[in-house]
Short mmCIF file of all heavy atoms in Angstrom, two decimals:
data_model
loop_
_atom_site.label_atom_id
_atom_site.label_comp_id
_atom_site.label_asym_id
_atom_site.label_seq_id
_atom_site.Cartn_x
_atom_site.Cartn_y
_atom_site.Cartn_z
N PHE A 85 -10.13 19.13 -0.45
CA PHE A 85 -10.24 19.58 -1.84
C PHE A 85 -10.22 18.39 -2.79
O PHE A 85 -11.08 18.24 -3.63
CB PHE A 85 -9.12 20.56 -2.18
CG PHE A 85 -9.02 20.88 -3.64
CD1 PHE A 85 -10.05 21.53 -4.29
CD2 PHE A 85 -7.91 20.49 -4.38
CE1 PHE A 85 -9.99 21.80 -5.65
CE2 PHE A 85 -7.84 20.76 -5.74
CZ PHE A 85 -8.87 21.41 -6.37
N GLU A 86 -9.21 17.53 -2.64
CA GLU A 86 -9.15 16.34 -3.48
C GLU A 86 -8.24 15.28 -2.88
O GLU A 86 -7.37 15.57 -2.06
CB GLU A 86 -8.69 16.68 -4.90
CG GLU A 86 -7.26 17.15 -5.03
CD GLU A 86 -6.86 17.50 -6.46
OE1 GLU A 86 -7.74 17.67 -7.32
OE2 GLU A 86 -5.66 17.58 -6.71
N ARG A 87 -8.50 14.06 -3.29
CA ARG A 87 -7.63 12.93 -2.97
C ARG A 87 -7.01 12.52 -4.30
O ARG A 87 -7.72 12.23 -5.26
CB ARG A 87 -8.46 11.78 -2.39
CG ARG A 87 -7.65 10.53 -2.10
CD ARG A 87 -8.61 9.37 -1.81
NE ARG A 87 -7.92 8.14 -1.54
CZ ARG A 87 -7.48 7.29 -2.47
NH1 ARG A 87 -7.66 7.55 -3.76
NH2 ARG A 87 -6.86 6.17 -2.14
N THR A 88 -5.68 12.52 -4.35
CA THR A 88 -4.97 12.24 -5.60
C THR A 88 -4.03 11.07 -5.41
O THR A 88 -3.29 11.02 -4.43
CB THR A 88 -4.15 13.48 -6.04
OG1 THR A 88 -4.99 14.62 -6.05
CG2 THR A 88 -3.54 13.27 -7.41
N GLU A 89 -4.05 10.15 -6.36
CA GLU A 89 -3.11 9.04 -6.33
C GLU A 89 -1.93 9.40 -7.21
O GLU A 89 -2.05 9.52 -8.43
CB GLU A 89 -3.76 7.74 -6.78
CG GLU A 89 -2.84 6.58 -6.57
CD GLU A 89 -3.57 5.27 -6.34
OE1 GLU A 89 -4.75 5.28 -5.98
OE2 GLU A 89 -2.93 4.23 -6.53
N PHE A 90 -0.79 9.63 -6.58
CA PHE A 90 0.47 9.89 -7.27
C PHE A 90 1.22 8.56 -7.39
O PHE A 90 0.88 7.59 -6.70
CB PHE A 90 1.32 10.88 -6.48
CG PHE A 90 0.84 12.31 -6.55
CD1 PHE A 90 -0.04 12.81 -5.60
CD2 PHE A 90 1.29 13.16 -7.56
CE1 PHE A 90 -0.48 14.13 -5.66
CE2 PHE A 90 0.86 14.47 -7.62
CZ PHE A 90 -0.02 14.96 -6.68
N PRO A 91 2.25 8.50 -8.24
CA PRO A 91 3.01 7.25 -8.35
C PRO A 91 3.62 6.79 -7.01
O PRO A 91 3.72 5.60 -6.76
CB PRO A 91 4.12 7.59 -9.35
CG PRO A 91 3.55 8.69 -10.18
CD PRO A 91 2.68 9.49 -9.24
N ASP A 92 3.98 7.76 -6.14
CA ASP A 92 4.69 7.40 -4.91
C ASP A 92 3.83 7.51 -3.65
O ASP A 92 4.29 7.15 -2.56
CB ASP A 92 5.92 8.30 -4.74
CG ASP A 92 5.56 9.78 -4.61
OD1 ASP A 92 4.48 10.18 -5.07
OD2 ASP A 92 6.38 10.52 -4.05
N ARG A 93 2.58 8.01 -3.75
CA ARG A 93 1.79 8.23 -2.55
C ARG A 93 0.33 8.54 -2.90
O ARG A 93 0.01 8.81 -4.05
CB ARG A 93 2.35 9.40 -1.74
CG ARG A 93 2.10 10.74 -2.40
CD ARG A 93 2.90 11.88 -1.77
NE ARG A 93 2.51 13.17 -2.30
CZ ARG A 93 2.86 13.65 -3.50
NH1 ARG A 93 3.58 12.91 -4.32
NH2 ARG A 93 2.47 14.85 -3.89
N ILE A 94 -0.50 8.51 -1.87
CA ILE A 94 -1.87 9.02 -1.97
C ILE A 94 -1.88 10.34 -1.19
O ILE A 94 -1.47 10.38 -0.03
CB ILE A 94 -2.88 8.03 -1.38
CG1 ILE A 94 -2.86 6.74 -2.20
CG2 ILE A 94 -4.27 8.64 -1.33
CD1 ILE A 94 -3.63 5.60 -1.60
N GLU A 95 -2.30 11.40 -1.85
CA GLU A 95 -2.26 12.74 -1.26
C GLU A 95 -3.67 13.24 -0.98
O GLU A 95 -4.53 13.22 -1.87
CB GLU A 95 -1.54 13.72 -2.20
CG GLU A 95 -1.29 15.06 -1.60
CD GLU A 95 -0.19 15.08 -0.55
OE1 GLU A 95 0.73 14.23 -0.62
OE2 GLU A 95 -0.25 15.94 0.33
N TYR A 96 -3.89 13.69 0.25
CA TYR A 96 -5.15 14.32 0.65
C TYR A 96 -4.88 15.81 0.75
O TYR A 96 -4.15 16.26 1.63
CB TYR A 96 -5.63 13.78 2.00
CG TYR A 96 -5.98 12.32 1.95
CD1 TYR A 96 -5.00 11.34 2.13
CD2 TYR A 96 -7.29 11.91 1.71
CE1 TYR A 96 -5.32 9.99 2.07
CE2 TYR A 96 -7.61 10.56 1.64
CZ TYR A 96 -6.62 9.61 1.84
OH TYR A 96 -6.94 8.28 1.77
N THR A 97 -5.43 16.58 -0.19
CA THR A 97 -5.20 18.02 -0.21
C THR A 97 -6.44 18.74 0.32
O THR A 97 -7.53 18.58 -0.22
CB THR A 97 -4.87 18.52 -1.63
OG1 THR A 97 -3.72 17.81 -2.10
CG2 THR A 97 -4.57 20.01 -1.63
N PHE A 98 -6.23 19.49 1.37
CA PHE A 98 -7.28 20.28 1.99
C PHE A 98 -7.16 21.72 1.53
O PHE A 98 -6.18 22.11 0.90
CB PHE A 98 -7.15 20.21 3.52
CG PHE A 98 -7.37 18.83 4.07
CD1 PHE A 98 -6.33 17.92 4.13
CD2 PHE A 98 -8.63 18.44 4.51
CE1 PHE A 98 -6.53 16.63 4.63
CE2 PHE A 98 -8.84 17.15 5.00
CZ PHE A 98 -7.80 16.25 5.06
N TRP A 99 -8.17 22.52 1.83
CA TRP A 99 -8.09 23.95 1.53
C TRP A 99 -8.83 24.73 2.61
O TRP A 99 -9.70 24.21 3.30
CB TRP A 99 -8.65 24.25 0.15
CG TRP A 99 -10.14 24.33 0.07
CD1 TRP A 99 -11.02 23.27 0.04
CD2 TRP A 99 -10.94 25.50 0.03
NE1 TRP A 99 -12.30 23.72 -0.04
CE2 TRP A 99 -12.29 25.10 -0.05
CE3 TRP A 99 -10.65 26.87 0.03
CZ2 TRP A 99 -13.34 26.00 -0.11
CZ3 TRP A 99 -11.70 27.76 -0.04
CH2 TRP A 99 -13.02 27.33 -0.11
N LYS A 100 -8.43 25.98 2.75
CA LYS A 100 -9.07 26.87 3.71
C LYS A 100 -8.81 28.30 3.28
O LYS A 100 -7.69 28.65 2.90
CB LYS A 100 -8.51 26.64 5.11
CG LYS A 100 -9.16 27.54 6.17
CD LYS A 100 -8.74 27.14 7.56
CE LYS A 100 -9.35 28.04 8.61
NZ LYS A 100 -10.81 28.08 8.63
N ARG A 101 -9.85 29.11 3.34
CA ARG A 101 -9.67 30.54 3.09
C ARG A 101 -9.13 31.14 4.38
O ARG A 101 -9.71 30.96 5.44
CB ARG A 101 -10.98 31.20 2.68
CG ARG A 101 -10.74 32.64 2.27
CD ARG A 101 -11.84 33.22 1.45
NE ARG A 101 -12.02 32.67 0.12
CZ ARG A 101 -11.31 33.04 -0.95
NH1 ARG A 101 -10.35 33.92 -0.85
NH2 ARG A 101 -11.57 32.52 -2.14
N ALA A 102 -8.01 31.83 4.28
CA ALA A 102 -7.37 32.41 5.46
C ALA A 102 -6.46 33.55 5.01
O ALA A 102 -5.66 33.38 4.09
CB ALA A 102 -6.55 31.35 6.19
N ASN A 103 -6.59 34.67 5.66
CA ASN A 103 -5.72 35.82 5.37
C ASN A 103 -4.59 35.85 6.39
O ASN A 103 -4.51 36.76 7.22
CB ASN A 103 -6.54 37.12 5.39
CG ASN A 103 -7.50 37.18 4.23
OD1 ASN A 103 -7.08 37.19 3.08
ND2 ASN A 103 -8.78 37.17 4.52
N LEU A 104 -3.76 34.83 6.34
CA LEU A 104 -2.65 34.73 7.29
C LEU A 104 -1.65 35.85 7.01
O LEU A 104 -1.32 36.14 5.87
CB LEU A 104 -1.97 33.37 7.15
CG LEU A 104 -2.88 32.15 7.38
CD1 LEU A 104 -2.12 30.87 7.06
CD2 LEU A 104 -3.41 32.12 8.79
N VAL A 105 -1.14 36.43 8.09
CA VAL A 105 -0.11 37.46 7.99
C VAL A 105 1.23 36.76 8.16
O VAL A 105 1.56 36.31 9.26
CB VAL A 105 -0.31 38.57 9.04
CG1 VAL A 105 0.78 39.62 8.95
CG2 VAL A 105 -1.69 39.20 8.89
N ILE A 106 1.96 36.65 7.07
CA ILE A 106 3.21 35.88 7.07
C ILE A 106 4.17 36.35 8.16
O ILE A 106 4.81 35.54 8.83
CB ILE A 106 3.87 35.94 5.68
CG1 ILE A 106 3.02 35.16 4.68
CG2 ILE A 106 5.30 35.41 5.71
CD1 ILE A 106 3.44 35.29 3.24
N GLU A 107 4.25 37.66 8.36
CA GLU A 107 5.19 38.22 9.34
C GLU A 107 4.84 37.81 10.78
O GLU A 107 5.68 37.87 11.66
CB GLU A 107 5.22 39.76 9.24
CG GLU A 107 5.74 40.27 7.92
CD GLU A 107 4.71 40.18 6.77
OE1 GLU A 107 3.50 40.15 7.04
OE2 GLU A 107 5.15 40.11 5.60
N GLU A 108 3.61 37.36 11.01
CA GLU A 108 3.19 36.95 12.35
C GLU A 108 3.32 35.45 12.57
O GLU A 108 3.04 34.95 13.65
CB GLU A 108 1.74 37.38 12.59
CG GLU A 108 1.56 38.89 12.61
CD GLU A 108 0.10 39.30 12.74
OE1 GLU A 108 -0.79 38.41 12.84
OE2 GLU A 108 -0.16 40.52 12.73
N ILE A 109 3.73 34.72 11.55
CA ILE A 109 3.84 33.26 11.64
C ILE A 109 5.24 32.89 12.10
O ILE A 109 6.23 33.36 11.56
CB ILE A 109 3.52 32.59 10.29
CG1 ILE A 109 2.06 32.85 9.92
CG2 ILE A 109 3.83 31.09 10.34
CD1 ILE A 109 1.69 32.38 8.54
N ASP A 110 5.30 32.03 13.12
CA ASP A 110 6.57 31.51 13.62
C ASP A 110 6.88 30.24 12.84
O ASP A 110 6.48 29.14 13.22
CB ASP A 110 6.46 31.23 15.13
CG ASP A 110 7.78 30.78 15.72
OD1 ASP A 110 8.83 30.97 15.08
OD2 ASP A 110 7.76 30.23 16.84
N LEU A 111 7.58 30.41 11.73
CA LEU A 111 7.88 29.29 10.82
C LEU A 111 8.86 28.33 11.49
O LEU A 111 9.97 28.70 11.83
CB LEU A 111 8.45 29.84 9.51
CG LEU A 111 8.60 28.86 8.36
CD1 LEU A 111 7.25 28.25 7.99
CD2 LEU A 111 9.21 29.57 7.17
N MET A 112 8.41 27.07 11.67
CA MET A 112 9.23 26.07 12.35
C MET A 112 9.85 25.06 11.40
O MET A 112 10.76 24.34 11.77
CB MET A 112 8.40 25.38 13.42
CG MET A 112 8.04 26.34 14.55
SD MET A 112 6.85 25.63 15.69
CE MET A 112 5.35 26.42 15.12
N GLU A 113 9.34 25.00 10.18
CA GLU A 113 9.93 24.17 9.12
C GLU A 113 9.94 25.00 7.86
O GLU A 113 9.04 25.79 7.62
CB GLU A 113 9.10 22.89 8.90
CG GLU A 113 9.23 21.87 10.00
CD GLU A 113 8.48 20.59 9.66
OE1 GLU A 113 8.29 20.27 8.47
OE2 GLU A 113 8.09 19.89 10.60
N GLY A 114 10.95 24.80 7.04
CA GLY A 114 11.05 25.56 5.81
C GLY A 114 11.76 26.88 6.02
O GLY A 114 12.06 27.28 7.15
N GLN A 115 12.05 27.55 4.89
CA GLN A 115 12.82 28.79 4.93
C GLN A 115 11.94 30.04 4.88
O GLN A 115 12.30 31.08 5.42
CB GLN A 115 13.77 28.86 3.72
CG GLN A 115 14.75 27.71 3.62
CD GLN A 115 15.55 27.82 2.36
OE1 GLN A 115 16.32 28.76 2.19
NE2 GLN A 115 15.38 26.87 1.44
N GLU A 116 10.78 29.93 4.19
CA GLU A 116 10.00 31.12 3.93
C GLU A 116 8.59 30.73 3.51
O GLU A 116 8.37 29.67 2.93
CB GLU A 116 10.69 31.88 2.78
CG GLU A 116 10.02 33.11 2.28
CD GLU A 116 10.72 33.70 1.05
OE1 GLU A 116 11.83 33.27 0.67
OE2 GLU A 116 10.13 34.62 0.46
N LEU A 117 7.65 31.62 3.81
CA LEU A 117 6.28 31.51 3.29
C LEU A 117 6.06 32.69 2.37
O LEU A 117 6.58 33.79 2.61
CB LEU A 117 5.26 31.57 4.43
CG LEU A 117 5.19 30.38 5.37
CD1 LEU A 117 4.35 30.72 6.59
CD2 LEU A 117 4.62 29.15 4.65
N ARG A 118 5.26 32.48 1.31
CA ARG A 118 4.96 33.58 0.39
C ARG A 118 3.61 33.31 -0.28
O ARG A 118 3.28 32.17 -0.59
CB ARG A 118 6.05 33.68 -0.67
CG ARG A 118 5.87 34.91 -1.58
CD ARG A 118 6.87 34.95 -2.71
NE ARG A 118 8.24 34.89 -2.23
CZ ARG A 118 9.29 34.61 -3.03
NH1 ARG A 118 9.10 34.35 -4.31
NH2 ARG A 118 10.50 34.58 -2.54
N TRP A 119 2.85 34.38 -0.51
CA TRP A 119 1.61 34.30 -1.25
C TRP A 119 1.92 34.34 -2.75
O TRP A 119 2.70 35.17 -3.19
CB TRP A 119 0.68 35.46 -0.89
CG TRP A 119 0.13 35.36 0.50
CD1 TRP A 119 0.51 36.09 1.58
CD2 TRP A 119 -0.90 34.49 0.95
NE1 TRP A 119 -0.22 35.72 2.68
CE2 TRP A 119 -1.09 34.74 2.32
CE3 TRP A 119 -1.69 33.52 0.33
CZ2 TRP A 119 -2.04 34.06 3.09
CZ3 TRP A 119 -2.62 32.84 1.10
CH2 TRP A 119 -2.81 33.11 2.45
N PHE A 120 1.30 33.45 -3.52
CA PHE A 120 1.51 33.34 -4.96
C PHE A 120 0.19 33.53 -5.69
O PHE A 120 -0.82 32.93 -5.31
CB PHE A 120 2.05 31.95 -5.33
CG PHE A 120 3.50 31.73 -5.06
CD1 PHE A 120 3.99 31.63 -3.76
CD2 PHE A 120 4.39 31.59 -6.11
CE1 PHE A 120 5.34 31.43 -3.52
CE2 PHE A 120 5.74 31.37 -5.88
CZ PHE A 120 6.22 31.29 -4.59
N THR A 121 0.20 34.31 -6.78
CA THR A 121 -0.95 34.38 -7.66
C THR A 121 -1.00 33.09 -8.48
O THR A 121 -0.05 32.29 -8.50
CB THR A 121 -0.84 35.56 -8.62
OG1 THR A 121 0.29 35.35 -9.49
CG2 THR A 121 -0.70 36.89 -7.88
#
Side-chain angles (χ1 to χ4, degrees):
F85 170 64
E86 67 181 16
R87 177 192 179 276
T88 308
E89 188 152 340
F90 286 91
D92 62 337
R93 72 192 187 284
I94 296 170
E95 187 73 28
Y96 295 86
T97 302
F98 295 85
W99 80 282
K100 181 171 178 60
R101 187 161 293 277
N103 291 298
L104 302 173
V105 179
I106 291 172
E107 296 77 24
E108 295 176 1
I109 295 173
D110 184 16
L111 190 59
M112 293 171 259
E113 287 185 25
Q115 302 176 65
E116 177 186 351
L117 290 168
R118 186 185 304 165
W119 290 105
F120 282 70
T121 65

